[in-house]
Amino acid sequence: MGQNPYDRVKLARDNSRPTGLDYIKNIFQGFIELHGDRRFGDDAAIVGGLAYLNKSPVTVIAIEKGHSAKERAMRNFGAPHPEGYRKALRLMKQAEKFGRPVICFIDTSGAYCGIGAEERGQGQAIAENLMEMTTLCVPIVSLLVGEGGSGGALALAVADRVWMLKNSVYSVISPEGCASILWKDPSKAPAAAASLKLTAEDAKSLGIVERILPEKDLGTKAFYERIRALLSEEIGKLSKNPDLIEKRYERFRRMGAVTEFDIASAATWPVACGNKGINYEHL
Amino acid sequence: MALINFLKPKNKLEEGGRTAAPVHEDEGEPEKKCPNCHKDIPLSRLWSNGLVCTCGYHFRMKARQRIHMVTDKGSFQELFSSVKSGNPLLFPGYGEKLETMRSASGEEEAVICGEAQIGRQKCCIFVMDSYFMMGSMGSAVGEKIASLFEYAADHRMPVIGWTVSGGARMQEGLLSLMQMAKTSAAIKKHSDAGLFYIVVLTNPTTGGVTASFAMEGDIILAEPGATVGFAGARVIEQTTKKSLPKGFQTAEFVLNHGFIDSIVPRREQRKLLAELLKMHRGG
């Protein structure tokens, strides 16, 4: 298993990893898929519907990359269009209406970059999800299971808990994109991957995810059962939390690293960062 | 050197006046070529016209100039000016880049926030600055904007914002991505309190800013010809291998596709904003 960050990016992108539907089928029972955004179409890159987690109904939403070449093309390689994000939001609002928790599985290189996606408001669709998810009155747990590509991943990750698989990555830009913008050289992607701090361990120490899920037994029965048990427990706890929305607000409100410039105490940063008093030197 | 000269105040408008004072054109005065009509325009004439060419092309404008142009004289009081980004990931070259940007632009960060009056009506404003790392959104930009919406909610004030941004600031990695969620959460809180938010998109508004607070206004306006989009045009061309339609991702394009309310030339914004504030008094 590779240890440098770019190897981890390659692992996260590996076609043989379980995809969204594998998680849905193996963790939940009685999945019923629900299609369409009621506005334009049905995006095959995002799958959503109803299922049981143990014995409670939940809403599950997953970005699906597909396995075979044909299926991958049909799923647009897991790059959602605006209608995918709008379908996800529709299902979340439905979950809120019926008091069901929401569980999202995220695996995307990013929201699709295309003419139709821009014409139908990719930015607006993501923005609306970010805004609406902050006040959704039911628990939301999001799991990054492969690639967590920028805004296209965040649009399903404004959650009470965000977990990452050990070899998933979460980044503001792909290492290749970063290298070509900053250094005009996409072949410097490995250096960019190291600088971007995109591994699960980095995200956890930045206070952006709560839990890293081991994946030595990736795709086995035991692996899915472990996730099911963790989800059950966490959702049980979140469902009893009367301050769910405030806690979710605070969760994102404290993210970032800024200095308050003050001549009297100029050396006091970081004032606000992911974890109070975090030490970045080990990163 | 030429750029620095271009930034220096040259006349009343730039120093805070709003009226087109009679222009005294010197022999051999520096001129700027309009990228639209290709004519050379004397700088003083350009300044007196709010940096808009006679052909209607809108040149980019520094945040403080915009504040002077649009707010009532002497009404602007800056807020959160001491908030700055650090280099939390120790990203190679970012610390130096910030220092260079600070000395070149005279600003600490890519957004200026404050309280002001427009047509004698109080409001909170934020203005992004393209001269500071192309208005990219890092922790400080997110922190200042979120703080402004919280301040506005506490004081029951409307917010007006001008966006210009290349997107998230990749040198801050995931922390910059999280600013999209943080600002969206603060805007939702402000909105749920029944308060009014107008956003004016200026050239260019792209990436993570388009996918968050640029698309979350009650009313969304744009300057003529401004680039407005999520993905970069070059990236779309490379991904889809298609040539892009004429006028793709312009203010006119997003207006035609239903994502903004109106296109408003710079010189007409003050009057319209005052009118909109008046219609939403108490909100």
Side-chain angles (χ1 to χ4, degrees), chain A residues 70-135:
Chain A
K70 198 177 158 195
E71 200 198 350
R72 287 170 65 79
M74 186 272 276
R75 302 283 182 193
N76 200 29
F77 307 92
H81 279 76
E83 45 274 21
Y85 293 113
R86 294 190 179 117
K87 168 166 72 177
L89 184 59
R90 178 177 79 82
L91 296 178
M92 288 187 224
K93 290 279 182 190
Q94 188 187 68
E96 184 179 47
K97 177 177 175 185
F98 296 105
R100 286 190 294 264
V102 176
I103 298 157
C104 301
F105 296 89
I106 297 161
D107 182 13
T108 181
S109 57
Y112 188 61
C113 299
I115 296 169
E118 294 291 321
E119 286 173 336
R120 299 194 291 279
Q122 189 72 282
Q124 189 275 338
I126 294 171
E128 189 170 7
N129 280 23
L130 302 184
M131 207 169 162
E132 293 301 323
M133 287 177 82
T134 60
T135 55

Coordinates of all heavy atoms in Angstrom, one line a residue, chain A residues 70-135:
Chain A
K70 N -19.0 0.2 -19.7 CA -20.3 0.7 -20.2 C -21.0 1.4 -19.1 O -21.6 2.5 -19.3 CB -21.1 -0.5 -20.7 CG -22.2 -0.2 -21.6 CD -23.0 -1.4 -22.1 CE -24.4 -1.0 -22.5 NZ -25.3 -2.2 -22.6
E71 N -21.0 0.8 -17.9 CA -21.7 1.4 -16.8 C -21.0 2.8 -16.4 O -21.7 3.7 -16.1 CB -21.8 0.5 -15.6 CG -22.9 0.9 -14.6 CD -22.8 0.3 -13.2 OE1 -21.9 -0.6 -13.0 OE2 -23.5 0.7 -12.3
R72 N -19.7 2.8 -16.4 CA -19.0 4.0 -16.1 C -19.4 5.1 -17.0 O -19.6 6.3 -16.5 CB -17.5 3.7 -16.1 CG -17.0 2.9 -14.9 CD -15.6 2.4 -15.0 NE -14.6 3.6 -15.0 CZ -14.2 4.2 -13.8 NH1 -14.7 3.8 -12.7 NH2 -13.4 5.2 -13.9
A73 N -19.5 4.8 -18.3 CA -19.9 5.9 -19.2 C -21.3 6.3 -18.9 O -21.6 7.5 -18.9 CB -19.7 5.3 -20.7
M74 N -22.2 5.4 -18.6 CA -23.6 5.7 -18.4 C -23.7 6.6 -17.1 O -24.5 7.5 -17.0 CB -24.4 4.4 -18.2 CG -25.8 4.5 -18.0 SD -26.4 4.7 -16.3 CE -26.4 3.0 -15.7
R75 N -22.8 6.3 -16.1 CA -22.8 7.1 -14.9 C -22.0 8.4 -15.0 O -21.7 9.1 -14.0 CB -22.2 6.3 -13.7 CG -22.9 4.9 -13.5 CD -24.2 5.2 -12.7 NE -24.9 3.9 -12.4 CZ -26.1 3.9 -11.9 NH1 -26.8 5.0 -11.8 NH2 -26.7 2.7 -11.7
N76 N -21.5 8.7 -16.2 CA -20.6 9.8 -16.4 C -19.4 9.8 -15.5 O -19.0 10.9 -15.0 CB -21.4 11.1 -16.3 CG -20.8 12.3 -17.0 OD1 -20.1 12.1 -17.9 ND2 -20.9 13.5 -16.4
F77 N -18.9 8.6 -15.2 CA -17.7 8.5 -14.3 C -17.9 9.1 -13.0 O -16.9 9.6 -12.4 CB -16.5 9.0 -15.1 CG -16.3 8.4 -16.4 CD1 -16.8 9.0 -17.6 CD2 -15.7 7.1 -16.6 CE1 -16.7 8.4 -18.8 CE2 -15.6 6.5 -17.8 CZ -16.1 7.2 -18.9
G78 N -19.1 9.2 -12.5 CA -19.4 9.8 -11.2 C -19.2 11.3 -11.1 O -19.0 11.8 -10.0
A79 N -19.4 11.9 -12.3 CA -19.3 13.4 -12.3 C -20.7 14.0 -12.5 O -21.3 13.9 -13.6 CB -18.4 13.9 -13.4
P80 N -21.3 14.4 -11.4 CA -22.8 14.8 -11.4 C -23.0 16.1 -12.2 O -22.2 17.0 -12.3 CB -23.2 15.0 -10.0 CG -22.1 14.3 -9.2 CD -20.8 14.4 -10.0
H81 N -24.2 16.2 -12.8 CA -24.7 17.4 -13.4 C -25.6 18.1 -12.3 O -25.9 17.5 -11.3 CB -25.5 17.0 -14.6 CG -24.7 16.8 -15.9 ND1 -24.0 15.6 -16.0 CD2 -24.5 17.6 -16.9 CE1 -23.4 15.7 -17.2 NE2 -23.6 16.9 -17.8
P82 N -26.0 19.3 -12.6 CA -26.8 20.1 -11.6 C -28.1 19.3 -11.2 O -28.5 19.3 -10.1 CB -27.2 21.3 -12.4 CG -26.2 21.5 -13.4 CD -25.7 20.2 -13.8
E83 N -28.7 18.5 -12.2 CA -29.9 17.8 -11.9 C -29.6 16.7 -10.8 O -30.5 16.3 -10.1 CB -30.6 17.2 -13.1 CG -29.7 16.5 -14.1 CD -29.0 17.5 -15.1 OE1 -29.0 18.7 -14.9 OE2 -28.6 17.0 -16.2
G84 N -28.4 16.2 -10.8 CA -28.0 15.2 -9.7 C -28.1 15.9 -8.4 O -28.6 15.3 -7.4
Y85 N -27.5 17.0 -8.3 CA -27.5 17.7 -7.0 C -28.9 18.1 -6.6 O -29.3 18.1 -5.4 CB -26.6 18.9 -7.0 CG -25.1 18.5 -7.1 CD1 -24.4 18.8 -8.3 CD2 -24.5 17.7 -6.1 CE1 -23.1 18.3 -8.4 CE2 -23.2 17.3 -6.3 CZ -22.5 17.6 -7.4 OH -21.2 17.1 -7.6
R86 N -29.7 18.5 -7.6 CA -31.1 18.9 -7.3 C -31.9 17.7 -6.9 O -32.8 17.8 -6.0 CB -31.7 19.6 -8.5 CG -31.0 20.9 -8.7 CD -31.7 21.9 -9.7 NE -30.9 23.1 -9.8 CZ -30.3 23.5 -10.9 NH1 -30.4 22.8 -12.1 NH2 -29.5 24.6 -10.9
K87 N -31.7 16.5 -7.5 CA -32.3 15.3 -7.0 C -32.0 15.0 -5.6 O -32.8 14.7 -4.8 CB -31.9 14.1 -7.9 CG -32.4 12.8 -7.4 CD -32.3 11.6 -8.4 CE -30.9 11.2 -8.7 NZ -30.8 10.1 -9.7
A88 N -30.7 15.1 -5.3 CA -30.2 14.9 -3.9 C -30.9 15.8 -2.9 O -31.4 15.3 -1.9 CB -28.7 15.1 -3.8
L89 N -31.1 17.1 -3.3 CA -31.7 18.0 -2.4 C -33.2 17.7 -2.2 O -33.8 17.7 -1.1 CB -31.5 19.5 -2.9 CG -32.1 20.5 -2.0 CD1 -31.5 20.5 -0.6 CD2 -31.9 21.9 -2.6
R90 N -33.8 17.3 -3.3 CA -35.2 16.9 -3.3 C -35.4 15.7 -2.3 O -36.3 15.7 -1.5 CB -35.7 16.5 -4.7 CG -37.2 16.0 -4.7 CD -37.6 15.7 -6.1 NE -37.2 14.4 -6.6 CZ -37.8 13.2 -6.3 NH1 -38.8 13.2 -5.5 NH2 -37.3 12.1 -6.8
L91 N -34.5 14.8 -2.4 CA -34.6 13.6 -1.5 C -34.4 14.0 0.0 O -34.9 13.4 0.9 CB -33.7 12.5 -2.0 CG -34.1 11.9 -3.3 CD1 -33.1 10.8 -3.7 CD2 -35.5 11.3 -3.4
M92 N -33.4 14.9 0.2 CA -33.2 15.4 1.5 C -34.4 16.1 2.1 O -34.7 15.9 3.3 CB -31.9 16.3 1.5 CG -30.6 15.5 1.3 SD -29.2 16.7 1.5 CE -28.2 16.2 0.1
K93 N -35.0 16.9 1.3 CA -36.2 17.7 1.8 C -37.3 16.7 2.1 O -38.1 16.9 3.1 CB -36.7 18.7 0.7 CG -35.7 19.8 0.5 CD -36.0 20.9 1.6 CE -35.1 22.1 1.5 NZ -35.2 22.9 2.7
Q94 N -37.4 15.6 1.3 CA -38.4 14.6 1.6 C -38.1 13.9 2.9 O -38.9 13.6 3.7 CB -38.3 13.6 0.4 CG -39.4 12.6 0.4 CD -39.2 11.6 -0.7 OE1 -38.2 10.8 -0.7 NE2 -40.0 11.6 -1.8
A95 N -36.8 13.6 3.1 CA -36.4 13.0 4.3 C -36.7 13.8 5.5 O -37.2 13.3 6.6 CB -34.8 12.7 4.3
E96 N -36.5 15.1 5.4 CA -36.9 16.1 6.5 C -38.4 16.0 6.8 O -38.8 16.0 7.9 CB -36.5 17.5 6.1 CG -36.7 18.5 7.1 CD -36.2 19.9 6.6 OE1 -36.6 20.3 5.5 OE2 -35.5 20.6 7.4
K97 N -39.2 16.0 5.7 CA -40.6 16.0 5.9 C -41.0 14.8 6.7 O -41.9 14.8 7.5 CB -41.3 16.0 4.5 CG -42.8 15.9 4.6 CD -43.4 16.0 3.2 CE -44.9 15.7 3.3 NZ -45.6 15.7 2.0
F98 N -40.4 13.6 6.4 CA -40.9 12.4 7.1 C -39.9 12.0 8.2 O -40.0 10.8 8.7 CB -41.0 11.3 6.0 CG -42.0 11.5 5.0 CD1 -41.7 11.9 3.7 CD2 -43.4 11.5 5.3 CE1 -42.7 12.2 2.8 CE2 -44.4 11.8 4.4 CZ -44.0 12.1 3.1
G99 N -39.1 12.9 8.6 CA -38.2 12.6 9.8 C -37.2 11.5 9.6 O -36.9 10.8 10.6
R100 N -36.7 11.3 8.4 CA -35.7 10.3 8.2 C -34.3 10.8 8.2 O -34.1 11.9 7.6 CB -35.9 9.6 6.8 CG -37.1 8.7 6.7 CD -37.0 8.0 5.4 NE -37.2 8.8 4.2 CZ -38.3 9.0 3.6 NH1 -39.4 8.5 4.0 NH2 -38.4 9.8 2.5
P101 N -33.3 10.2 8.8 CA -32.0 10.6 8.7 C -31.5 10.5 7.2 O -32.0 9.7 6.5 CB -31.2 9.7 9.6 CG -32.2 9.0 10.4 CD -33.5 9.0 9.7
V102 N -30.4 11.2 6.9 CA -29.9 11.2 5.5 C -28.4 10.7 5.6 O -27.6 11.1 6.5 CB -29.9 12.6 4.9 CG1 -29.2 12.6 3.5 CG2 -31.3 13.1 4.8
I103 N -28.1 9.7 4.8 CA -26.7 9.2 4.7 C -26.2 9.3 3.3 O -26.9 8.9 2.3 CB -26.7 7.7 5.1 CG1 -27.2 7.6 6.6 CG2 -25.3 7.2 5.0 CD1 -27.7 6.3 7.0
C104 N -25.1 10.0 3.1 CA -24.5 10.2 1.7 C -23.2 9.5 1.6 O -22.4 9.5 2.5 CB -24.3 11.7 1.5 SG -25.8 12.7 1.6
F105 N -23.0 8.9 0.4 CA -21.7 8.3 0.0 C -21.1 9.1 -1.1 O -21.8 9.3 -2.1 CB -21.9 6.8 -0.3 CG -22.4 6.0 0.8 CD1 -23.8 5.8 1.0 CD2 -21.5 5.3 1.6 CE1 -24.2 5.1 2.1 CE2 -21.9 4.6 2.7 CZ -23.3 4.4 2.9
I106 N -19.9 9.6 -0.9 CA -19.3 10.5 -1.9 C -18.1 9.9 -2.5 O -17.2 9.4 -1.9 CB -19.0 11.8 -1.2 CG1 -20.2 12.5 -0.6 CG2 -18.2 12.7 -2.1 CD1 -20.0 13.5 0.5
D107 N -18.1 9.9 -3.9 CA -17.0 9.4 -4.6 C -17.0 10.1 -6.0 O -17.6 9.6 -6.9 CB -17.1 7.9 -4.8 CG -15.9 7.3 -5.5 OD1 -14.9 8.0 -5.7 OD2 -16.0 6.1 -5.9
T108 N -16.4 11.2 -6.1 CA -16.4 11.9 -7.4 C -15.1 12.7 -7.6 O -14.5 13.2 -6.7 CB -17.6 12.9 -7.5 OG1 -17.6 13.6 -8.7 CG2 -17.6 14.0 -6.4
S109 N -14.7 12.8 -8.9 CA -13.6 13.6 -9.2 C -14.0 15.1 -9.1 O -13.2 16.0 -9.1 CB -13.0 13.3 -10.5 OG -14.0 13.4 -11.5
G110 N -15.3 15.3 -9.2 CA -15.8 16.7 -9.1 C -17.1 16.8 -9.9 O -17.5 15.9 -10.6
A111 N -17.8 17.9 -9.6 CA -19.0 18.2 -10.4 C -18.6 18.3 -11.9 O -17.5 18.8 -12.2 CB -19.7 19.5 -10.0
Y112 N -19.5 17.8 -12.8 CA -19.1 17.8 -14.2 C -18.8 19.1 -14.8 O -19.5 20.1 -14.6 CB -20.2 17.1 -15.0 CG -19.8 16.8 -16.4 CD1 -18.6 16.0 -16.7 CD2 -20.4 17.4 -17.5 CE1 -18.2 15.7 -18.0 CE2 -20.0 17.1 -18.8 CZ -18.9 16.3 -19.1 OH -18.5 16.1 -20.3
C113 N -17.7 19.2 -15.6 CA -17.3 20.5 -16.3 C -17.8 20.3 -17.7 O -17.2 19.8 -18.5 CB -15.8 20.6 -16.3 SG -15.1 20.8 -14.7
G114 N -19.0 20.8 -18.0 CA -19.5 20.7 -19.4 C -20.4 21.9 -19.7 O -20.8 22.7 -18.8
I115 N -20.8 22.0 -21.0 CA -21.6 23.1 -21.5 C -23.0 23.0 -20.8 O -23.5 24.0 -20.3 CB -21.7 23.1 -23.0 CG1 -20.3 23.4 -23.6 CG2 -22.6 24.2 -23.5 CD1 -20.1 23.1 -25.0
G116 N -23.6 21.8 -20.9 CA -25.0 21.7 -20.3 C -25.0 21.9 -18.8 O -25.9 22.5 -18.3
A117 N -24.0 21.5 -18.2 CA -23.9 21.7 -16.7 C -23.9 23.2 -16.4 O -24.5 23.6 -15.4 CB -22.6 21.0 -16.1
E118 N -23.1 23.9 -17.2 CA -23.1 25.4 -16.9 C -24.4 26.0 -17.3 O -24.9 26.9 -16.6 CB -22.0 26.0 -17.7 CG -20.6 25.6 -17.3 CD -20.2 26.1 -16.0 OE1 -20.5 27.3 -15.6 OE2 -19.5 25.3 -15.2
E119 N -25.0 25.6 -18.4 CA -26.3 26.1 -18.8 C -27.4 25.9 -17.8 O -28.3 26.7 -17.7 CB -26.7 25.5 -20.2 CG -26.0 26.0 -21.4 CD -26.3 25.2 -22.6 OE1 -26.7 24.0 -22.6 OE2 -26.1 25.8 -23.7
R120 N -27.3 24.8 -17.1 CA -28.3 24.5 -16.1 C -27.9 24.9 -14.7 O -28.5 24.5 -13.7 CB -28.7 23.0 -16.2 CG -29.2 22.7 -17.6 CD -29.9 21.3 -17.6 NE -29.0 20.2 -17.5 CZ -28.3 19.7 -18.5 NH1 -28.3 20.2 -19.7 NH2 -27.5 18.6 -18.2
G121 N -26.8 25.6 -14.6 CA -26.5 26.2 -13.3 C -25.8 25.3 -12.3 O -26.3 25.1 -11.2
Q122 N -24.6 24.8 -12.7 CA -23.9 23.9 -11.8 C -23.6 24.6 -10.5 O -23.8 24.1 -9.4 CB -22.6 23.4 -12.5 CG -21.8 22.4 -11.8 CD -22.4 21.0 -11.8 OE1 -23.4 20.7 -11.1 NE2 -21.9 20.2 -12.7
G123 N -23.1 25.9 -10.6 CA -22.8 26.6 -9.4 C -24.0 26.9 -8.5 O -23.9 26.7 -7.3
Q124 N -25.1 27.2 -9.1 CA -26.3 27.5 -8.3 C -26.8 26.2 -7.6 O -27.2 26.3 -6.5 CB -27.4 28.1 -9.3 CG -28.6 28.6 -8.6 CD -29.6 27.5 -8.3 OE1 -29.6 26.5 -8.9 NE2 -30.5 27.7 -7.3
A125 N -26.7 25.1 -8.3 CA -27.2 23.8 -7.7 C -26.4 23.5 -6.5 O -26.9 23.1 -5.5 CB -27.1 22.7 -8.8
I126 N -25.1 23.6 -6.6 CA -24.2 23.3 -5.5 C -24.5 24.3 -4.3 O -24.7 23.9 -3.2 CB -22.7 23.3 -5.9 CG1 -22.4 22.2 -6.9 CG2 -21.8 23.2 -4.7 CD1 -21.1 22.2 -7.5
A127 N -24.5 25.6 -4.7 CA -24.8 26.6 -3.7 C -26.1 26.4 -2.9 O -26.1 26.5 -1.7 CB -24.8 28.0 -4.3
E128 N -27.1 25.9 -3.6 CA -28.4 25.7 -3.0 C -28.3 24.5 -2.0 O -28.8 24.6 -0.9 CB -29.5 25.5 -4.0 CG -30.9 25.4 -3.4 CD -32.0 25.4 -4.4 OE1 -31.7 25.3 -5.6 OE2 -33.1 25.5 -4.0
N129 N -27.6 23.5 -2.4 CA -27.4 22.4 -1.5 C -26.7 22.8 -0.2 O -27.1 22.4 0.9 CB -26.6 21.2 -2.2 CG -27.5 20.4 -3.0 OD1 -28.6 20.8 -3.5 ND2 -27.1 19.1 -3.3
L130 N -25.6 23.6 -0.4 CA -24.8 24.0 0.8 C -25.7 24.8 1.7 O -25.7 24.5 3.0 CB -23.7 24.9 0.4 CG -22.6 24.3 -0.6 CD1 -21.5 25.4 -0.8 CD2 -22.1 23.0 -0.2
M131 N -26.5 25.7 1.2 CA -27.3 26.5 2.0 C -28.5 25.7 2.7 O -28.7 25.9 3.9 CB -27.9 27.6 1.1 CG -28.3 28.9 1.8 SD -28.7 30.1 0.5 CE -29.5 31.3 1.5
E132 N -29.1 24.9 1.9 CA -30.3 24.1 2.5 C -29.8 23.1 3.5 O -30.5 22.8 4.5 CB -31.1 23.5 1.4 CG -31.8 24.6 0.5 CD -32.7 25.5 1.3 OE1 -33.4 25.0 2.2 OE2 -32.8 26.7 1.0
M133 N -28.7 22.4 3.2 CA -28.2 21.4 4.1 C -27.9 21.9 5.5 O -27.9 21.2 6.5 CB -27.1 20.6 3.5 CG -27.4 19.7 2.4 SD -26.0 18.9 1.6 CE -25.8 17.5 2.7
T134 N -27.5 23.2 5.6 CA -27.1 23.7 6.9 C -28.2 23.8 7.9 O -28.0 23.8 9.1 CB -26.5 25.2 6.8 OG1 -27.5 26.0 6.2 CG2 -25.3 25.2 5.9
T135 N -29.5 23.8 7.4 CA -30.6 23.8 8.3 C -31.6 22.7 8.1 O -32.7 22.7 8.6 CB -31.4 25.2 8.1 OG1 -31.8 25.3 6.8 CG2 -30.6 26.3 8.6

